Amino acid sequence: MADPRPRTTDIGITLRHETRESERRAPIVPVDAARLVAHGFTVTVEHSPQRVFPIGDYLDAGCVAAEAGSWRAAPAAEFVVGLKELPDEPPTLRHRHVFFGHAYKGQRDAEALLRRFTAGAGALLDLEYLTDADGRRLAAFGYWAGYVGAALAVLRHRGRLDPPLRPRPKADLDRVLRETSSGAQPSVLVVGALGRCGRGARDALAVAGIEPTCWDVAETRSLDHAALLDHDILVNAVLVNTPTPPFVTLASLRSRPRRLSLIADVTCDVTSGNNVLPVYDDITDWREPVRMVADVGDPLGVIAIDNLPSLLPGEASTAFSAELTPHLLTLGEPGQPWQRCLRVFREACEANGLETENVHV
């Protein structure tokens, strides 16, 4: 099928529709799309019924509208930008896709995704690995994931978490946190408290009137398991890329006395071999935000929603897009961060016995 969309430059970016119904965010917001257009990019935006920003705002920014899924017919040189998982079709991927692929740490279905790319000579430029020379991420939703994860944990503890969850402005979420702050406060431990996620969690807890216990690298290097279990709520804001001793195990939950009744796992690394919370085996979602861990004595709930920032879609998208856009402007050069993304992709493919000779940024 020929692509009918006009091109004014050799560099084209398609903002694809997210197939996950609960995904309301956009990696590029209209004001930043206008910046890309002003720099000579052709920005095509697929219609999306759930995206927080209406298509008209993108048209006003100089973008081109297209039907959902039309990226499949775009020229092979197109950069396809999204956030969450791709649809299962087509079986081969010939474009350069920018999104969170979750395919480099042994996650479920990771090899199948990489095989689709190598079969079509496409490339995954994973946003998780868009980093500077020191490995620091250049665009991330971590702050907002931590903020929402901690907020949901507090509302659950206070009996005010009512599924199904729905997106809302931050002001509304903060209002509920403040309204429910009277009375005895839960004891909350934030692990990874000094990172982006941890900072977001601490800010949400401050709005809720809670002063948490804060652990970071020093405290997790030699973990005090008894102290961890002596909190009502654990907010895990640690993303690990190498095997790390678990923070909590089923054995520790069964054998030790504990106060812990709720875990908010912001990082949701459940299918990774690096999972530091191997006490549950699947994520939760907006319809069922909390799942109980079986056979561990006293009740223990887990919140493990892998698109937490989508519950504050406007604020989270605006902050992320502002960080990402300067790097999208270097796609035609290409910038060093994208070369690092490509290198990690190639290494992951080679580790799975897949060839990447024809792949380039």
Side-chain angles (χ1 to χ4, degrees), residues 143-154:
Y143 175 88
W144 295 103
Y147 198 100
V148 176
L152 296 184
V154 171

Side-chain angles (χ1 to χ4, degrees), residues 100 127 137-144 196 316 319-320 323-324:
F100 292 99
L127 287 167
R137 289 173 62 174
L138 298 172
F141 283 102
Y143 175 88
W144 295 103
R196 292 193 204 211
F320 182 83
E323 295 178 345
L324 177 63

Side-chain angles (χ1 to χ4, degrees), residues 255-313:
S255 63
R256 295 173 181 264
R258 63 177 168 88
R259 182 176 174 180
L260 186 68
S261 62
L262 182 63
I263 295 173
D265 189 6
V266 176
T267 56
C268 290
D269 230 3
V270 59
T271 65
S272 166
N274 301 328
N275 183 17
V276 295
L277 293 170
V279 298
Y280 69 102
D281 58 9
D282 204 358
I283 61 171
T284 62
D285 56 35
W286 294 16
R287 293 183 179 85
E288 185 186 4
V290 183
R291 188 168 297 129
M292 304 308 294
V293 179
D295 301 323
V296 290
D298 293 336
L300 176 67
V302 172
I303 298 173
I305 299 171
D306 69 350
N307 65 337
L308 285 167
S310 198
L311 287 161
L312 294 178

Side-chain angles (χ1 to χ4, degrees), residues 140-300:
F141 283 102
Y143 175 88
W144 295 103
Y147 198 100
V148 176
L152 296 184
V154 171
L155 294 180
R156 166 70 176 194
H157 191 272
R158 293 173 176 172
R160 290 291 301 272
L161 188 64
D162 301 318
L165 305 181
R166 288 180 170 81
R168 62 173 77 186
K170 178 177 177 292
D172 287 357
L173 178 61
D174 289 351
R175 176 180 51 78
V176 178
L177 289 174
R178 292 190 181 99
E179 287 175 353
T180 60
S181 62
S182 61
Q185 301 295 347
S187 173
V188 181
L189 170 62
V190 178
V191 182
L194 300 184
R196 292 193 204 211
C197 287
R199 182 163 52 87
R202 288 186 287 117
D203 284 353
L205 292 169
V207 172
I210 296 171
E211 181 67 35
T213 303
C214 296
W215 289 1
D216 208 77
V217 175
E219 292 81 5
T220 55
R221 188 177 292 116
S222 180
L223 198 70
D224 186 337
H225 292 278
L228 183 153
L229 294 174
D230 195 33
H231 290 81
D232 296 301
I233 298 171
L234 167 63
V235 180
N236 176 43
V238 177
L239 178 65
V240 299
N241 293 314
T242 58
T244 301
F247 297 163
V248 180
T249 65
L250 291 172
S252 69
L253 292 173
R254 291 166 181 153
S255 63
R256 295 173 181 264
R258 63 177 168 88
R259 182 176 174 180
L260 186 68
S261 62
L262 182 63
I263 295 173
D265 189 6
V266 176
T267 56
C268 290
D269 230 3
V270 59
T271 65
S272 166
N274 301 328
N275 183 17
V276 295
L277 293 170
V279 298
Y280 69 102
D281 58 9
D282 204 358
I283 61 171
T284 62
D285 56 35
W286 294 16
R287 293 183 179 85
E288 185 186 4
V290 183
R291 188 168 297 129
M292 304 308 294
V293 179
D295 301 323
V296 290
D298 293 336
L300 176 67

Side-chain angles (χ1 to χ4, degrees), residues 98-112:
V98 179
F99 73 110
F100 292 99
H102 303 300
Y104 299 160
K105 293 185 288 185
Q107 292 100 326
R108 190 179 302 156
D109 300 325
E111 183 181 349

